[in-house]
Amino acid sequence: MRQDPGYVLDVPYPHHFQRESTPLWLSFVATALGVAAPDITRPYSWCELGCGQGLGAALNAAVNPQGRFVGVDFNPRHIAHGRELAKAAGLDNLEFVEADFASLARTAEAQGAQYDFIVLGGVYSWISASDREALRRCVRHWLKPGGILYLGYMCQPGMAFLSALQRFLRCHGDSAPGDSLARLQAGLGLLERMEQGGAGFFREQPAAASYLAAARREDPRQLAHELLNAHWESLHVADVIEALSACGCEYLGSATPLENIDALSLPGNLLPLLQELRTPAARETFKDLARNQSERRDLYQRGVRRLDGQAHRQALLDQVLTALPGAPQGGGIDFDTRIGPVQGQAGLFGPLFEALAAGSRSFAGLARLPALQGQTDLLSPALQMLAWAGHVHPLLPGRVAVERCRSLNRVLCEGALQGIHYGHLAAPSLGSAVAADRLQSVALRVLLDYPGISGRLLHETVRTLLADAGGAGEADLERRLRDFEAVVLPHWRQMGMLDA
């Protein structure tokens, strides 16, 4: 296996999960776009290229019993952790492969079509041009007809400012002592002193100063991988669309639902200008300029399978959705978008919140609500907006893997007791994962062994475990425990993470 000396190896990539990587989310968004995604109620295959330490692949494998999952990474430390996680949780539908992208492309060429879904999260902007070409060869040979590609990357123009900072950090780090984290902190400190001293770059690029301020709140391991790799590039969407087209993949839209609704994600006075553009490359470049887009989550399909009007309507009606913890229970809502706040009218969103607060509802059931009569054409974009904002989520059709998810969650919660921050837990009915902090993970670990425990006894047990693990001393601990039991736990039970 080739190890690229320009890639950060002394710091493991932080555990991460992206909801956009899940087959259900990809199918949900594709359906809204009027496209037939692979059928996830039947056996299918999924591959993540650049899987890091394997948490995302493990969560996907646990919640999707119909799928066969493969995670690929060139870092042996990452692959070892992923394999340990899969073994401990008993995930027999998950395989990890240690390989660099060049050798992987040769394997893909020999094997032919293998996967219904291929996902690439934080990889494409951080590798060399030759490795990007190798990844495209993997997609060209491995993705089945009708298969979906999810591709996340940094883009122009929103990330243009970061190129100069990243190049400086690389130059500074080459001569600075210590490991990657030490070199990163030293370089960021020097940049901060430059900003405070009035360097012209920061005056002309206010986004750079904002980025530096936000960087201090980020996981330094994440920043090391983002900023210290030799290969770093923010890409133009037109170039990416052209390169993927050569692989037989056509651009569908964004895995971020908001970005597929032009009327809500673009300044209104620009919409007539957008209508003058005909090609996807021109339209998406225009949108990136309009939003000052810094990150894209693109969806592609090999041989687009458009749904006709009746099939599209039926695919929407068949969807079932549920409210997530913290979702409003009535009234309107303000969405915080890149172009500013967008108001969701109470007459549309209020009935949706009230209905979903009472339990999961099908799209068809929501469409029949008397309060929504005359607004059914707005229902799909409204639900897409709520899903994007983290208030609702589609439910997994078909079989739900309750025991597999609980097995993985035990392992992840044990990690929380040992100070390992996984940050997500498997949610069976969602076909996805939910965010979970350390307190919530420890509480779930207790409840998996003692499902009847509640109230004061639950709180005291969690307090004791957190204290034993070095987590005591939080002034708001009791409030957080009460909020967990009152707000989060009922949803987790509905999702199958615990018995109702």
Side-chain angles (χ1 to χ4, degrees):
M1 185 197 70
R2 174 180 61 86
Q3 291 200 359
D4 187 341
Y7 195 81
V8 172
L9 291 172
D10 60 335
V11 178
Y13 196 88
H15 301 292
H16 73 287
F17 168 79
Q18 292 182 323
R19 63 182 180 177
E20 293 83 5
S21 72
T22 64
L24 178 57
W25 184 273
L26 296 174
S27 299
F28 176 67
V29 177
T31 297
L33 292 167
V35 172
D39 185 356
I40 60 173
T41 66
R42 301 169 63 86
Y44 63 88
S45 52
W46 174 103
C47 178
E48 182 177 15
L49 300 175
C51 65
Q53 295 197 66
L55 175 64
L59 286 165
N60 269 292
V63 298
N64 292 288
Q66 294 283 21
R68 175 178 66 88
F69 293 83
V70 177
V72 181
D73 203 280
F74 87 108
N75 189 327
R77 185 174 178 182
H78 290 170
I79 292 299
H81 183 274
R83 287 171 175 166
E84 291 171 4
L85 202 57
K87 181 179 180 180
L91 300 176
D92 56 3
N93 63 337
L94 174 58
E95 175 189 1
F96 285 98
V97 175
E98 181 186 329
D100 62 72
F101 295 139
S103 62
L104 205 65
R106 294 190 292 270
T107 300
E109 187 171 2
Q111 289 181 338
Q114 297 285 311
Y115 298 109
D116 298 287
F117 299 94
I118 295 179
V119 302
L120 294 96
V123 175
Y124 202 65
S125 284
W126 292 269
I127 55 178
S128 65
S130 61
D131 273 342
R132 284 200 294 272
E133 193 278 331
L135 280 180
R136 294 193 296 271
R137 286 167 56 201
C138 291
V139 171
R140 182 187 308 124
H141 295 293
W142 264 345
L143 191 62
K144 295 179 181 179
I148 297 285
L149 168 68
Y150 162 62
L151 181 64
Y153 57 96
M154 293 183 300
C155 67
Q156 298 277 353
M159 273 295 179
F161 75 89
L162 193 54
S163 177
L165 297 186
Q166 193 270 346
R167 192 69 184 93
F168 171 79
L169 288 170
R170 282 282 301 168
C171 294
H172 179 269
D174 287 343
S175 59
D179 62 10
S180 293
L181 293 182
R183 289 184 280 116
L184 172 70
Q185 297 302 334
L188 289 174
L190 184 51
L191 284 171
E192 287 171 341
R193 297 201 300 274
M194 290 179 66
E195 190 269 332
Q196 293 161 6
F201 174 78
F202 292 100
R203 289 200 303 270
E204 294 295 325
Q205 301 283 344
S210 299
Y211 180 89
L212 276 183
R216 289 303 189 187
R217 300 189 294 271
E218 296 294 323
D219 186 330
R221 298 170 300 169
Q222 174 79 30
L223 284 175
H225 283 267
E226 179 172 329
L227 298 174
L228 296 185
N229 289 325
H231 309 293
W232 186 102
E233 187 174 359
S234 56
L235 304 169
H236 294 275
V237 63
D239 294 337
V240 179
I241 289 176
E242 180 181 6
L244 268 298
S245 177
C247 298
C249 294
E250 185 174 332
Y251 178 76
L252 296 180
S254 174
T256 303
L258 168 69
E259 294 171 4
N260 298 322
I261 308 173
D262 296 338
L264 299 178
S265 63
L266 298 173
N269 58 347
L270 296 183
L271 294 177
L273 302 179
L274 178 64
Q275 300 312 311
E276 299 177 13
L277 305 174
R278 293 291 174 261
T279 68
R283 291 174 63 85
E284 293 306 309
T285 301
F286 178 95
K287 292 179 185 181
D288 284 356
L289 289 166
R291 302 181 186 124
N292 193 34
Q293 192 90 359
S294 58
E295 181 180 10
R296 291 188 63 94
R297 297 182 174 95
D298 291 350
L299 295 183
Y300 293 82
Q301 188 171 41
R302 175 180 295 284
V304 176
R305 299 181 174 181
R306 302 284 179 190
L307 296 168
D308 62 32
Q310 181 57 36
H312 188 200
R313 175 178 171 78
Q314 190 59 53
L316 290 172
L317 291 173
D318 289 343
Q319 293 176 337
V320 181
L321 296 106
T322 190
L324 295 178
Q329 298 192 359
I333 183 175
D334 287 333
F335 297 99
D336 185 16
T337 77
R338 290 187 68 86
I339 63 169
V342 173
Q343 186 177 43
Q345 297 300 318
L348 173 62
F349 288 94
L352 291 177
F353 287 137
E354 292 169 9
L356 292 169
S360 302
R361 298 291 291 266
S362 69
F363 189 107
L366 293 170
R368 289 193 295 268
L369 291 174
L372 293 183
Q373 297 310 300
Q375 301 187 85
T376 51
D377 289 345
L378 301 176
L379 185 54
S380 179
L383 292 173
Q384 291 286 311
M385 288 289 286
L386 291 176
W388 163 74
H391 295 311
V392 305
H393 197 283
L395 290 184
L396 185 71
R399 185 160 58 98
V400 175
V402 169
E403 292 307 318
R404 293 167 61 86
C405 290
R406 292 182 186 179
S407 177
L408 176 60
N409 284 343
R410 283 181 182 273
V411 177
L412 301 179
C413 293
E414 286 290 340
L417 285 170
Q418 298 165 20
I420 302 173
H421 181 61
Y422 286 108
H424 286 84
L425 296 169
S429 69
L430 300 188
S432 186
V434 292
D437 61 25
R438 189 169 184 233
L439 178 145
Q440 294 168 341
S441 299
V442 171
L444 181 64
R445 183 65 187 88
V446 174
L447 289 162
L448 286 170
D449 280 348
Y450 305 100
I453 193 173
S454 63
R456 181 177 178 181
L457 185 55
L458 172 62
H459 296 194
E460 290 178 350
T461 305
V462 173
R463 281 177 175 277
T464 300
L465 290 172
L466 286 172
D468 289 346
E474 298 184 48
D476 64 343
L477 186 59
E478 183 61 30
R479 177 191 59 79
R480 292 172 58 208
L481 282 165
R482 287 197 303 269
D483 287 348
F484 167 76
E485 199 167 11
V487 178
V488 176
L489 186 54
H491 285 276
W492 284 12
R493 292 190 186 279
Q494 292 173 10
M495 295 172 190
M497 297 169 69
L498 287 162
D499 292 336

